[in-house]
Structure formats: C-alpha cells, structure tokens
Amino acid sequence: MAEASTKHVMDREKIGQQMYEFIRALYPICRSITGAGLRETLKQISEHIPLQISEVATGTEVFDWTVPKEWNIRDAYIKNLAGERVVDFRKSNLHVVSYSVPVRTRLPLSELKTHLFTLLDHPDWIPYRTSYYQETWGFCLRHQDLLRMKDEQYEVCIDSSLDAGHLTYGEYHLPGEEESEVLISCHTCHPSLCNDNLSGIALATFLARHLSTQPRRYSYRFLFIPGTIGSITWLSRNEDKTHRIKHGLVAACVGDPGKSTYKKSRQGDAEIDKAVTHVLKHSGQDYEIMDFSPYGYDERQYNSPGFNLPVGSLMRTPNGRYPEYHTSADNLDFVSAESLKDSYQKYLSVIQVLENNRTYINLNPKCEPQLGKRGLYRLMGGDRDTGFDQMSLLWVLNLSDGRHSLLDIAERSGYEFSVIKNAAHALCEKALLKESSGP
Amino acid sequence: MAEASTKHVMDREKIGQQMYEFIRALYPICRSITGAGLRETLKQISEHIPLQISEVATGTEVFDWTVPKEWNIRDAYIKNLAGERVVDFRKSNLHVVSYSVPVRTRLPLSELKTHLFTLLDHPDWIPYRTSYYQETWGFCLRHQDLLRMKDEQYEVCIDSSLDAGHLTYGEYHLPGEEESEVLISCHTCHPSLCNDNLSGIALATFLARHLSTQPRRYSYRFLFIPGTIGSITWLSRNEDKTHRIKHGLVAACVGDPGKSTYKKSRQGDAEIDKAVTHVLKHSGQDYEIMDFSPYGYDERQYNSPGFNLPVGSLMRTPNGRYPEYHTSADNLDFVSAESLKDSYQKYLSVIQVLENNRTYINLNPKCEPQLGKRGLYRLMGGDRDTGFDQMSLLWVLNLSDGRHSLLDIAERSGYEFSVIKNAAHALCEKALLKESSGP
Amino acid sequence: MAEASTKHVMDREKIGQQMYEFIRALYPICRSITGAGLRETLKQISEHIPLQISEVATGTEVFDWTVPKEWNIRDAYIKNLAGERVVDFRKSNLHVVSYSVPVRTRLPLSELKTHLFTLLDHPDWIPYRTSYYQETWGFCLRHQDLLRMKDEQYEVCIDSSLDAGHLTYGEYHLPGEEESEVLISCHTCHPSLCNDNLSGIALATFLARHLSTQPRRYSYRFLFIPGTIGSITWLSRNEDKTHRIKHGLVAACVGDPGKSTYKKSRQGDAEIDKAVTHVLKHSGQDYEIMDFSPYGYDERQYNSPGFNLPVGSLMRTPNGRYPEYHTSADNLDFVSAESLKDSYQKYLSVIQVLENNRTYINLNPKCEPQLGKRGLYRLMGGDRDTGFDQMSLLWVLNLSDGRHSLLDIAERSGYEFSVIKNAAHALCEKALLKESSGP
C-alpha cells in the first residue's frame, strides 16, 4: 500500500470529524433488522461508497433461521386523559420496543404497565428493547416519567406494520491483487444509538472509501447488515465465498472514550489476532485483549464451528460493559470525533500490517552479508529517510528463513512492524531478500 | 449417572459418620503386608462390598520381586526386672517393628537399646517402623517411656511367626457399559494408623458400595492391597488387563483436617489430571496440585515407565507432610467424619466428570441455531429446573466440533462441568448435538 | 570424563591466576583483524596448546566478503610545535584508529580535530575505534588531553602499512570418541583490551589445555579468530565440517566482576541452551539468560540462517553493557583471576553436562526394581561415597523411557545434573539401565 499523499494526510486529520458528522446524520433514523429505516441508512452510506444492496424476501430460509416479516413504523404514543402524549415516538425512536405489533387501545395504568420498560438505576434514560421473534408490543420510557403517570386510562397507539417484505443489507467489495479477502462487518439495525453501532457504520464507510483509493494486495469486503439475522443471511447466501476470507474484523463500539479492546477470533492465534495485538501493543495507549467467547456481535456467526473464520472484533468499550449501552445515553455526547479517529487509525494500522505481512528468504543466508559495501552499515534508528536501522536489518536477515513472517520478526525483535517492513524492503532492493511462498 | 435420589442424599449426609465408624472398627487390627490382620481387614470390607480375595503364595515371583514370607504376631512385650510390661503390644500394635522375627531373650538396657526406636521431637508419640525385607526385630516406644527405663536386665518377647504362607489382597470389579476401567487403589498394610490409610480404605469401600447402585459408563476396579508389594503383585498377575485402565486414583490420607491435594499422574495432562484439577478449582476451597514424583504410594508402580498408567492421587495432606504421619498420633482424633465426607464427595465429583466427559458434534455448525424456537432462549443462570444458562449453551454449540470434550469446554468457558454437561444434554434433546467418537 | 585427580584440583586452584598472567602477557600487543600483533598472539597461545595456524591471502572471497589487506603499524604520534608527543602510540595502542592508513603531515588543530576521537563522559579514558572497510585515519585520546591541546600546528605521523598480505587464525582440534564437535570460539582482534577479549582467549586456551588431558566423548574445536571476518572466513573454508558442530559457545567478556550471562542460540532450546541454563541455575550465584539477538560476537555468523548452529555465548557482563567496554578502562584492573576462574569452572561444568548427557532405558520398566537386594535402598543424599540418593535413583528409573535425557531428568526432578548422572551410572552397574540411542 502506497504512502499517504498530502491530500490523504489532510483527510486523516479531518476523518474523525467527518465520521462524527455522518453519525449525526444517521442518528434520528429509526432502524431495525428490516424496514425503511435500514434502507434509508444504506442509502446514506451509498453516498460515500457504491454499496450493492440486497433484498431478501420474508420467509427465506437461511440455515436454521427464517427471514422475518418486515417491520415499519410511522408513529406511536401513549396519551393521558388530558390528551397529552406522555410517551412520544416522535421524540425518541427508543420509546417503542422494536418489532412491536400495531396496537390502538385504551388501558388503565395497571394493565399498561406490563408493556412498559424503564431503568431503575438510570431513571432519566430510556432503555432500548426489541422483540424480533415474539409478536408483542411495548414502550420504553424514563423511569422518572413512569413515576409521574397517574392511575388513569391511557390511549395507546403504535402505528406500525409487520408484513411480508424484505430484509435489506449492503455490501461493498473492493477487489485486490489477491482473491483472498479481508472482511469488515458492522451491524446496522440499531435505532438512535451512537456507539452501538453508528460508530461502526461510520468507521466501515470511511475506511472503505479510503481503501478504494489505495493499491490493495487483498480484496476487501464490507458488510452493512442487521445483527445476527443479517450475518446468518449473508453467510447462507455466500457459503461458497467464505473460504476467501483470510482475515476479518467486526466493527462495533468504536466511538466511546474507553480504551481499545480486541476480542480474539475463535482460533485465537490467527494472523488477524497477532496483527491487532501488535498494533495495540505499539499504540502507546492502554488496551485490552479478550479471548473469544460466543457472545457479542456477528463474530458469533463468523466463528461458529462450521465456518471458524478468523474474525475478531476491534472495539473500544465492549457491549454491555458501559452503563450507557442500549440506552438513550448512547447518544451524540457519548461518542467523539477524537475516539472515532483513533479507532479508524488503528483499523488502518492493522490493515497496513496485513497488507505487508509477507515472508521472505535471505538470499545470503550463510553468515551476514557485508552491509557496508551496500550503504546499509550503521544506519541510525531515528533516520527519517529510511524508517529502519541496522539492528532491524540484522533481525530480518537472521530470521528470513521462510518460516518467519515479517510480523513474526517484529514480535521476536520487539520492533514495530513498519520498521521491519522498511528494513525488508531495503534488503529486497539490494537483492539480499526475496519473497517466499510463506511460513 | 442418574441424579441422587432422596435416599442417596440422606446416605451422603451420613456417609462421613459411616466412614468414621468403619475406621474405628478397623483401627485396633494389627495389619501388615501379609498375615491375619490384613485378612481380617479384607473380611470386614467384604461386609460392605463383595470383595474377591486373592492369596498369592510366598516365593511367587512378581516382576523383580518375590512374595515374602507371611508374618503373624500374637503378643510382644518388654518386661522389667519387676515383671512389669514396660512396652506392651496389647496396648498398641505400633510397639513392634512390623515383620519382626520371633525373639525371646534377656538383655541389659544397653544392648536392648539398639532395638528400640523413639521420636525425640514427639516424646509422647510412638513411631511406626517396618523391616519387611531385612530379618530383624525391634520395638517402637514413646521417648518419655524410654527415659524412664532403668539400666537393668529386661525380658524381651516377640511372639511372631515368619513362615511360608500367602500375600492377601482384595479386589472388587464393577462392570460398566464400557470395558474401560477407572481404578481406585488403596493400601491396606498399615496397622493402627487412621489417616494413612484406614481413611483410604473407608473411602474406597463406601465409594464402591455407592457406585454399585448406580448406572455406570465405565467399569470400576477397586484394589485393597498391601503397599508396593501388593500393587506389584497385582500388576504382575494382571498385566494383560492394565490397558483397560483409562483413569485411576490412589486413595490415601483422605481424613485429616488439611486441604485437598492432588498429585498428578506421570503423564501430567491425562484426563484424570484435568478432571481432578477442575473439581478442586470449583470446590470453593483451598487446594494444591503437585506434579508427579516417583515416591509416595502405589502410584509409583502404576506410573512406572513400563505401565505409565494415568493414575494420580487425591489426598488431603500428603504422606510425610504432617507430623503425625507414621506415628501413634495418626489416630482416631486425627481424622474426622467431616473431612472424610468432603474427600468422598470430591471423589464422587471427579467420577461424575469422568462419567459424563464425552465429546459432541454440533449438528447445526453453520451459524448459531435459533434457540428461541426451541424454548432455549434467555435462560437464566440460576435456573433450578435446567441447571444451565444461555451462555453455556452457546459455549457448547461453539466448541462442539469433535475436538473439544465437555471438560475442555468447561475449562475454556470457566463454567463448572455440570453446567456444561446439562447444557449439552439439553442440546442433545433438541437434536442440536450428538455424541462424537472423541477428541 | 574422569574425576579430577589431585594434580588437576591443584591446577584448578591456580587456573585463575594462570589465566590472568596470560592476559598480562598479551595485553601490550597491538592486535587487529590481520597483521603482526595477531600473529604474535597466536604464537603465544601456541606455547600452551599446539595451534594450527592458517594464513588466508588478501583478496580471498569468503561468502559475501573479501579478506582485506593486512595492516601493520610500527609507530604513531601527534607532536606539538614544541616537538612533544601529545598523543603517543607507544604509550597505548588504542591511540590509533585500527586500520588507519599511513599518514605524515602537518595540520592545524581545527583540521586535525576531524580525525580525533574522545569520550566526553569519561574524559580520562581513551576510546577504541576501528575503520576496517573504509580507508581513513584517526587518533583516539583522552578528552582531558584534547582540551589541553593549543590551537597550533601539529605534526601527525602514522607509520602503518596496509598491503596485500594475509588474515591469520588459529585452530585446535581435539578428537574425541565421537566425530560430533563442541565448538569454542573466541575473537583475537582487539588490541589492549582485557575483558574484550583477552579474557576469552585465556579461557579458551586453558580450557583446551585441560581437555587435551581428559578422555573425551565429543571432539572439541577451538577457534582463535579475528571477529566477524575471521568466523566468516573459517565457515567459508570449512562449510563441509559445520554439520559436526553439535554444541558451541562463543567465549568473550569472561573476566569482569559482573554476574554470568548466557545468550542463547538462535534455536533457543538447543541442548547447549539447556545445559548452560542448568549450570547457571545450580551455580548458587546470580545470573541472567538472554534470548538470541543477531548482534554481539561471532555467534552472529554461526547462527546465521544458512548455518543455524546451536552456538550460544557464555559471558559475564555482555558487550556494550559496561562503561569500560571498548575503552582504555577495559584494562588489567578490570579483570580478575577470581572472575576468570569462576568463568572457567562454569565452562567446565557445562562441558561435564554435555559429555555425560545421554539417554537411558530402564531395563526393569514394569514397577520399581527392588533396590534393597542390590544395596541401593535408603541411600542418603549427603552420601559422599555415592554422590546420589534414593530419590535420584527413582527419578532416573521412572523417566528412563528413551525419551528423557539425563539433563531432562535433572530439570524435571530439580536435582543437579551430576547427582542424576551418578545415579544413572550406579543403575547401569546394577544392570537396571542401559544407554539408549537418544531421545
């Protein structure tokens, strides 16, 4: 991958702000695992990258699952006797339990309460609830607002529809020199929630846009899909292509102020696991590495034993570990341009490692070559022109026996990957190294 | 193995006391590696379980060893000039060095002393000494009693016999669904010593009695044998059966107040090693895991390189690590019903793991199955009815690829084995899992 | 290897002093990678061991390198206007940059300064500099002397020659029972520097002399070679013999007061790595184990990927880690007879391990043999006559299955190697053990 041009450097400076603005634009839309909100979101992503949209009909069997009915909603409220909307979908789409069936009725508070959900610990936050596979209805509201509701009759309206339709997802494939793919997957089914997962959508969109302008060794596949049912649907329809996925990341929760957290693939020692660990270790920031567990986002499906794809998840604070998770507090204040930019840069760094992680053979394997006669002797570490030093050359020469990738050499020597990569390129130029078929 | 019925639950409550009473009954008997005391002990065990008794003639060659003469003793004493028994076998059978040849003589204290053994550090305890393979005689006594002995002539009598006879051992084989065996071995050669090893005898006896009432996957073989020469004799006579021993434990020192200690098999990572470690880790109590070393009890023979059987030893405080070891202080006060019951329950828990540790195949390996439509969605952890939760289901599904046993899954997920087992059984019922031929 | 006789014990007592005296004799010689000083050094070594001297002509191609011109020097100085030698080669051969071309000129201080090297941090020490592959000249001096030099004209003379000639090295091969070799390599190219590397030269010389008097399982090859170009030259000329090198050590920096430090071979788990680690662990002294890195001394060449020989380096304080390194302070005060003797003894201990590290088969693998009937029962640990105890016998018997070397058994049991070796020899004598073909 070529060095960033001045234009791209400037882009990178602005990238955090651009991602944040995109999140702001998408925030009001009422997304779910199907329906108009999801379509509108994909349309807005398409303004940045040429997304290929798929529509899968309700009732389609996808492995053990069936594509559900399509859900759409226009309005919803609870009115008191005075005719005031005490709960109003127009103020927050979190107020309605996602996939609520249409309802129009009058109920006393006592009966209504069985359909109301609040957070006792955070009485001023609205929880986020769904009921995709059980037909019911409900409202989520601030606990403090529930306490204010009098014991009277209420008018309840959910102007929704749950009918045969389609599940929609977006896909962007960027061909590279190799057919082998890097998969970047994000879920697009959450309504007005910023970190989970407008941050992942924004990161994937801008990363795809950037990579489209770069030379690429790998092909890249970006998936914008509803959680669980979306990845199951995609895997079901693309089973013959999954063998191409050589590395993958699920992008979610990348905009909050927490430290970077990497959840490993089920394999645990896949190249993506090593690459992300390396990048975080050299980031100069605090970070955490978690073992794989069969919970979380769509890595659950990619890592199911029948696929066992090397797909990890690079997040900031993981799902369920921050109090704002799945509440109205996961809003535009909870994510920042700064965190988004930092996450974006770490994704780019990981991709740089993957793109450049090749295995080489030392063409002068018996004793060291004489570096001096090639102008490679006593190069200093801080050398801005070369980006490597003499020790990195010696490490690359010593370990380039066809069994150590550049990432292996970086890990064993303690050098940051790019220094080892630069040293390897310099040695290739001097015909002291050539690419090997791999470790 | 079926769930414990009410009767069995009550049995378990009483089991500690029952074991203690059995120890109390066996305590006075003067056991050695051969002879009447050993036979009487096996007879009493036979009142609980139908023991098969073997008699192996003196002189029989067993690998590098020869079955020794049979030793029996009726009485022994040292009388002072006043005719008083200053050392009296009738008061404690520890007073006579085991396998002492018959003697009837008069000696001054100075000569007698070369045959007397005491403990300087514990002047009120009688040591335990043997001389199986060197014909000699001796007395063990309290050091404080030795100090009281005047410098006079003593009458010495050991009314023993050391003649051609037999080595006796007991064996109880419980057939299971599989020919593969779990071996439980304990030594039965120590005289009035409670922890080492009446506790092991009691535990093995009551464990065998319990297992005889249960459905069994494995066959079980309980050995009640004299230490060293007994296991060598058994192995020599049953060499063709040893390949069936898939797991084994040597039961010794299981009644003292110390924490549980597991000494691994020579293999170090055998299934029995993993199973015991898992049980102790989840016991909620302090415990210790020791690497194998070629000393201790009969695990030395089972783990000799020509057999290398996966036999560990689950004890409380190991041999030699408590001051009461091999002294008269290893008495009825040193062991307790409570400790015996705790050890018994840990043995049972280990057996539960072994019995249920199978390897399964996820029959819906591509993506997660839809648990909701099978009534398995959002089950809570504390659910008394199911004994598993949703995360345990997901772990079993994710790792059931034919290469992970349930114990492997329990270890990787952090769950207690029984939760993983229950989850697996629930998934089998829903036809989402089937047993595999093994990892 | 036989036990040390009384004479050898006495030799060992004196060995530190003898090594120190040898260093004192070699100290004044002006060595470089070629030339008269190197030849004189090899001549003095030859007075202790029958060195085979090789002369390799300038211009000879050795892998990627070319044997350089031969450098010799007779005198060198900087004179001030008063005719005083302000820098005088006759006072220290470090004053001249090694391989300085001949020069005879007059220069003002300002111009002269570009050829002067000092140490700001240690103004009273002379640095050591070389310029083997770039034709230039220079002087090294105390910074305090530079400050005293007036801004005047100086007469500069380096009476050196740089002409076609030879690279000289010495080699001593001691045949053993096996053709497999232990390589001991030291560099001989440094002028008046004691730790780096007269200490290594002295150790290798006296070790070789001692081993020549001993029975040997392995053959031993001692190389006295100029750094880098010397090992490259030797490897280039002896490529067909390198497969014989089964273990190797680079001897350097073995006389300073620091703790012992072992730098592992590139393989990292070679037998030499285990042997040295074992010796240091049981030395009762502080020590450090370093991973291999492709820098340091001639281990760089032996461990290049085309050879990958199991050669580590057993030093005291490694190159570059002590301030006296490559300065006039690495003098006769910096090394001591005591440190030299300690290093020598550790080398000998390592060789004892290598010589005796065989793999055995237990000839009585089924159950323990009866040690008592062979007089091997209850041997005490401190027994001066046997040098082993009963537990060591049991460990050797238990692990002698053809897959554990004696060093493996020592490591697993925690015993010092010699105890395990003695136990194995005792068991061989009793026909309970025989040598195996190896793990």
Side-chain angles (χ1 to χ4, degrees), chain B residues 39-54:
Chain B
R39 273 192 203 90
E40 172 60 21
T41 300
L42 297 175
K43 183 163 159 276
Q44 295 204 21
I45 298 169
S46 296
E47 289 167 16
H48 296 279
I49 50 175
L51 222 51
Q52 174 191 332
I53 307 291
S54 296

Side-chain angles (χ1 to χ4, degrees), chain A residues 239-303:
Chain A
E239 207 177 331
D240 58 332
K241 288 185 195 151
T242 57
H243 69 277
R244 297 183 194 162
I245 298 173
K246 203 163 167 184
H247 321 285
L249 288 174
V250 167
C253 302
V254 293
D256 67 271
K259 67 185 171 192
S260 287
T261 304
Y262 178 64
K263 176 181 167 182
K264 287 188 194 180
S265 77
R266 180 179 183 270
Q267 298 178 23
D269 60 350
E271 191 174 336
I272 185 68
D273 300 320
K274 294 178 188 169
V276 180
T277 301
H278 181 85
V279 165
L280 295 183
K281 193 161 70 179
H282 287 270
S283 68
Q285 300 172 18
D286 194 14
Y287 67 94
E288 183 179 343
I289 307 288
M290 295 163 61
D291 280 331
F292 176 78
S293 65
Y295 202 68
Y297 296 111
D298 289 310
E299 68 273 15
R300 293 162 66 165
Q301 313 310 328
Y302 303 126
N303 286 280

Side-chain angles (χ1 to χ4, degrees), chain B residues 64-65 239 266 300 306, chain C residues 365-366 368 370 373-374 398:
Chain B
D64 192 51
W65 302 62
E239 207 177 332
R266 180 178 184 270
R300 293 161 65 166
Chain C
K366 292 183 175 168
E368 293 169 13
Q370 195 182 357
K373 70 185 183 192
R374 295 176 177 88
N398 189 269

Side-chain angles (χ1 to χ4, degrees), chain A residues 69-74 100-102 158-163:
Chain A
K69 291 178 189 163
E70 183 175 325
W71 184 68
N72 283 289
I73 183 164
R74 282 152 298 276
S100 281
V101 294
I158 298 183
D159 180 12
S160 68
S161 59
L162 194 56
D163 299 310

Side-chain angles (χ1 to χ4, degrees), chain B residues 63-66 129-130 133 228 231-232 235-236 239 265-268 292-295 300-301 303-308, chain C residues 362 364-374 377-378 390-391 393-401 403-404 412 432:
Chain B
F63 294 128
D64 192 51
W65 302 62
T66 306
R129 283 243 175 184
T130 68
Y133 300 98
T228 303
S231 52
I232 292 170
L235 285 164
S236 168
E239 207 177 332
S265 76
R266 180 178 184 270
Q267 298 178 23
F292 176 78
S293 65
Y295 202 68
R300 293 161 65 166
Q301 313 309 328
N303 286 280
S304 59
F307 290 110
N308 199 26
Chain C
N362 180 341
N364 186 88
K366 292 183 175 168
C367 299
E368 293 169 13
Q370 195 182 357
L371 296 177
K373 70 185 183 192
R374 295 176 177 88
Y377 189 55
R378 290 223 175 137
Q390 188 170 356
M391 267 309 282
L393 290 173
L394 293 176
W395 274 110
V396 172
L397 287 166
N398 189 269
L399 292 178
S400 287
D401 53 8
R403 289 179 296 115
H404 298 86
R412 183 151 165 190
L432 286 170

